[in-house]
Structures are given as C-alpha cells and as structure tokens.
Amino acid sequence: MTQNGELVACRSCGERGLRLFLDLGVMPLADRLIPPEHLGEPEPAFPLQVAFCPNCALMQILETVPPETLFCDKYPYYSSFSDALLRHARDNVTSLIASRRLDASSYVVELASNDGYLLKNYVDRGIPVLGIDPAEGPAKAAENVGVKTLNTFFTADLARSLAAEGRQADVVHGNNVLAHVADTNGFVAGIGLLLKDSGVAVLEVPYVKDLIDHCEFDTIYHEHLCYFSVTALDRLFRRHGLYLNDVERLDIHGGSLRLYVERTERVTARVHDLLHRERQENVDQFSFYENFSRRVEALRGDLLALLRELRQGGHRIAAYGAAAKGATLINYIGIGPDLIDFVVDRNVHKQGSYMPGKHIEISSPERLLTETPDYTLLLSWNFAEEILEQQAQYRERGGRFIVPIPELRIL
C-alpha cells in the first residue's frame, strides 16, 4: 500500500513495520535520458529509500513512481545490444526446449519481452510465442524480428483474458521484471492464471544476498521496487498457490536467481539448501542489512577520491555504459562533467542524449579510440568481461578501466 507515492506497507505481505536502512537521497529517474533540446528543463526526481520487511524478509524501496512514467515514455533499454545477454537467453531457451520437450504444439509467453531478444529463439524453432511489453520502441523492434507482441502491461486481468481465449502457456518467461512491478501480488496471481496445470514459470531476479555482499548499491533505482531473497520469494509464491520448486544461482547482472515456479509442489534440494543458508546467514533478519549504508558511503568516498586525484593529475576520464545503474552511481556519488568528459554506450537509442541528473553526454564507443581518454569508469561493471574484450584496442593504446564494484580496482 502506498500513500502519495510512498510505501506504507510491504509490497508482498502488507506488513506496516518496515525498517529503513539506506537513503540514497532524491534521485532522477535512472532510465530517463535527456535529449539535448531538453537540457534546460526541470527534471523529475524522487526520494530513493530502501527498507526491509521483518515479516516476509522482502527488501524494497519506499517510493512508487507511476509505471507509465518509467516504462512508456521513450524507454531506452534494448536487450539485444548485449552479446552476453543474447547468449544467456539463447542458452536458457535451448535448455528448456530440450527439458520440457517443447514443439510446435507448445505455447511460450514472455512478460516484459523487450525487443524480442529471448523469444526469437523459440520463433526460430517454430514454437508459437507471445511477448508482452509496455515500451513502444522495444515492442516494435520485437515485431520486426517476428515476435508477436502485445504492447501493454501484464496484469491479472490480462492473464484471465488470455486464459479464457485458450492461450495458457507451457512456459512463462519473466527476466528482471518481477522487481519492476508495483502490484507485486497481482503480477504473481496473473502468472498463476496464465500457466497451464503442467506449465512452468521461468523467472530471473537479481539476488539480494549478492547485492548486499558485493555492495551493489547502484542496482537500486526507481524501476527496481523489490530486491529478492529465496525466503521472500518462497513466501510470495505460496501466498498465491504457486511453488518455487527449483532455483539456480547465476553470475549475470552481478548475481541473479533463475526461478522455476509451478502449480504443483515438488521442491528440490537446491531450494531447501538456499533457504537453510539464508537462515544461517540471517538474510531473513534486519541485522543482515543494517550496516549496508556505511559500506556504501565508504565506497563513495574511495571512488570520488580516486577520480579527483586522477583529474588533478591531468588525466582525462570517460565512462562506459549509460545504464540505469550508472545513473544511480554518478548521481549518488556526485560525478559530473567536472570529473567525467563523456559516457559511451553501444545502444544507438542512447547516443546523443545526456545522463539523467549530471547531464554527461552519451556517445558511441568509437569515441574511446578517437580521443583515447586515460581512464574509463566502467558503469556497466556487470558486463565487464564482454566490454573489456570489445575494447581490446583501446586498452592496447594505454587506456585503463576503473571498475567500481564489487571492489574498486583499475585494470
């Protein structure tokens, strides 16, 4: 439950005694890039505070920005610009086709299907699909690669309508979307309605334990309303007659979980093991989170000191990755054009715009070679291996990367 945009009860269980443990201040919307013609206009900004629910163990932000504001107005994120993400999706689909024996008689639905980066792998194998995504640009891009897409938000009402039309799914995908949804319980209820009795929902979410352990504070922004542990997820799904039957830990995005959710309970040892480990390490207790703020402040001080020292030494500094996490990092730490000359990104939909808040110009990665800054701050550190490989020529010319998370280092 929210009041004037601020959460007054847990998004999952309704508990009102939420405990605040991190305040990142008033922040701009992380994915709302600024076109050059709008640089002088007022920019929307909202509080970014994080709390823990002592009842169901869900970590969540307190502010709820309307989803139409976040996802429908020239949303700039296109999954297909990451080679690593494309491989990740293709491997997932290939495995599921084999394990679930999917064929032309099957039906696969993806929630927040973006530009069709995942579902096109099913299309290539002749398996019917449906994508659901509210962002107009990515939805059109998906249609262009043969992925039938509904350009709308997924809700329980939509799931009910699809089920009534006989369009229940053998597989429901939802990668990094559960955390984005204001109506958490309605979304999960919709998944239950959309699944066939024998179907499986294969969902991916960032893992809150990795976020806290590795000080990944920059993955906190207004689009990410929730940050999940296995404990919180198990309680959420069971509330809706669904069961977290299996789980895999993944390295992607700084540490994620792949969840296998079904209507029938058959919980694997992997789920029981993670639940046990979370109890042992107090992931379900406030004590696990309460020192996070001090660690974030220490990282801010160290990175700011390094950048200032390099700048004072006459070095030129750029940044790589106009991602949402990058917006959180530069705005919380206070990194502006006085420290960073420009940001580069492969996504052509971002090039020519400016980072929210600090208004640093976004260019193509080729600028690293034409200007060869001495250092490049790696804002998209979660794709460090891919980016370092792509930028081998820049590194051969003497360019070095600053990786801020999980620990500050220069490569």
Side-chain angles (χ1 to χ4, degrees):
M1 182 184 300
T2 62
Q3 187 173 50
N4 297 324
E6 185 174 320
L7 193 69
V8 295
C10 175
R11 299 177 188 278
S12 179
C13 71
E15 166 69 35
R16 289 180 171 271
L18 301 181
R19 301 190 65 180
L20 180 70
F21 66 90
L22 178 66
D23 188 346
L24 295 175
V26 177
M27 301 281 280
L29 299 179
D31 261 324
R32 198 179 185 91
L33 305 181
I34 312 300
E37 64 271 21
H38 295 317
L39 280 174
E41 299 177 6
E43 190 173 355
F46 302 87
L48 191 53
Q49 299 173 309
V50 192
F52 173 77
C53 176
N55 183 55
C56 73
L58 179 63
M59 173 177 155
Q60 55 207 283
I61 67 170
L62 299 183
E63 191 78 13
T64 304
V65 179
E68 295 79 10
T69 300
L70 291 171
F71 301 110
C72 295
D73 187 9
K74 297 182 180 178
Y75 187 61
Y77 183 75
Y78 288 71
S79 300
S80 292
F81 283 99
S82 168
D83 296 336
L85 198 57
L86 290 174
R87 287 194 299 271
H88 177 78
R90 184 172 58 249
D91 291 346
N92 185 16
V93 169
T94 300
S95 174
L96 281 168
I97 289 174
S99 65
R100 308 291 297 191
R101 299 181 180 178
L102 303 176
D103 56 25
S105 66
S106 307
Y107 193 54
V108 178
V109 178
E110 185 179 9
L111 317 178
S113 48
N114 199 258
D115 60 6
Y117 76 106
L118 183 145
L119 287 181
K120 66 183 180 183
N121 294 288
Y122 287 108
V123 173
D124 290 344
R125 298 282 293 272
I127 298 171
V129 304
L130 176 67
I132 302 172
D133 198 289
E136 183 178 356
K140 285 183 177 179
E143 289 278 0
N144 290 339
V145 295
V147 175
K148 184 176 181 181
T149 304
L150 293 179
N151 184 204
T152 188
F153 288 98
F154 176 72
T155 63
D157 286 342
L158 177 58
R160 195 173 290 109
S161 296
L162 291 171
E165 295 169 6
R167 293 203 278 173
Q168 286 182 301
D170 296 278
V171 177
V172 174
H173 283 281
N175 289 353
N176 299 297
V177 59
L178 184 58
H180 291 66
V181 181
D183 183 9
T184 307
N185 286 293
F187 191 86
V188 172
I191 291 174
L193 292 167
L194 190 58
L195 278 177
K196 292 180 181 177
D197 288 342
S198 60
V200 61
V202 183
L203 314 174
E204 291 184 17
V205 298
Y207 189 22
V208 74
K209 185 177 186 307
D210 292 321
L211 186 157
I212 298 296
D213 284 348
H214 304 149
C215 205
E216 297 169 359
F217 78 93
D218 57 341
T219 60
I220 298 169
Y221 42 90
H222 295 102
E223 288 178 16
H224 286 173
L225 302 172
C226 300
Y227 306 83
F228 294 103
S229 61
V230 178
T231 302
L233 287 162
D234 183 62
R235 293 170 181 176
L236 170 62
F237 290 125
R238 285 178 180 274
R239 192 178 304 118
H240 296 280
L242 296 170
Y243 301 94
L244 176 56
N245 283 335
D246 201 3
V247 60
E248 298 175 59
R249 291 191 69 173
L250 308 171
D251 291 333
I252 196 164
H253 299 308
S256 298
L257 299 171
R258 179 178 289 156
L259 318 169
Y260 297 85
V261 178
E262 297 172 295
R263 288 184 166 192
T264 302
E265 184 173 9
R266 41 185 170 220
V267 182
T268 62
R270 289 197 290 193
V271 175
H272 288 302
D273 180 58
L274 277 174
L275 288 170
H276 176 68
R277 287 164 63 181
E278 287 186 358
R279 285 192 297 271
Q280 284 188 316
E281 298 180 41
N282 293 325
V283 177
D284 59 345
Q285 301 295 321
F286 182 69
S287 59
F288 181 74
Y289 305 85
E290 60 183 335
N291 293 324
F292 187 58
S293 178
R294 284 194 286 273
R295 294 168 53 211
V296 171
E297 289 173 5
L299 190 153
R300 173 170 62 178
D302 291 344
L303 179 55
L304 199 54
L306 172 62
L307 295 176
R308 285 173 174 167
E309 179 183 346
L310 292 175
R311 200 63 151 174
Q312 289 165 5
H315 296 290
R316 293 198 68 209
I317 310 172
Y320 194 112
K325 60 167 49 67
T328 293
L329 188 142
I330 65 172
N331 282 286
Y332 172 71
I333 291 180
I335 302 171
D338 58 323
L339 293 173
I340 300 291
D341 294 312
F342 57 89
V343 177
V344 300
D345 198 287
R346 290 181 71 193
N347 187 337
V348 296
H349 303 281
K350 298 182 179 183
Q351 294 165 12
S353 294
Y354 290 75
M355 294 292 287
K358 292 302 181 181
H359 297 175
I360 306 171
E361 183 184 8
I362 303 168
S363 301
S364 71
E366 285 72 27
R367 193 170 175 183
L368 292 182
L369 294 178
T370 58
E371 300 190 20
T372 320
D374 303 290
Y375 294 88
T376 298
L377 176 62
L378 191 53
L379 300 176
S380 297
W381 50 262
N382 52 317
F383 291 118
E385 185 176 340
E386 174 184 349
I387 293 169
L388 291 174
E389 182 178 335
Q390 289 170 2
Q391 296 304 317
Q393 189 175 358
Y394 165 69
R395 300 178 73 192
E396 289 168 2
R397 294 185 182 182
R400 305 184 71 185
F401 278 94
I402 302 169
V403 182
I405 292 172
E407 67 273 336
L408 185 58
R409 53 204 171 106
I410 299 177
L411 301 177

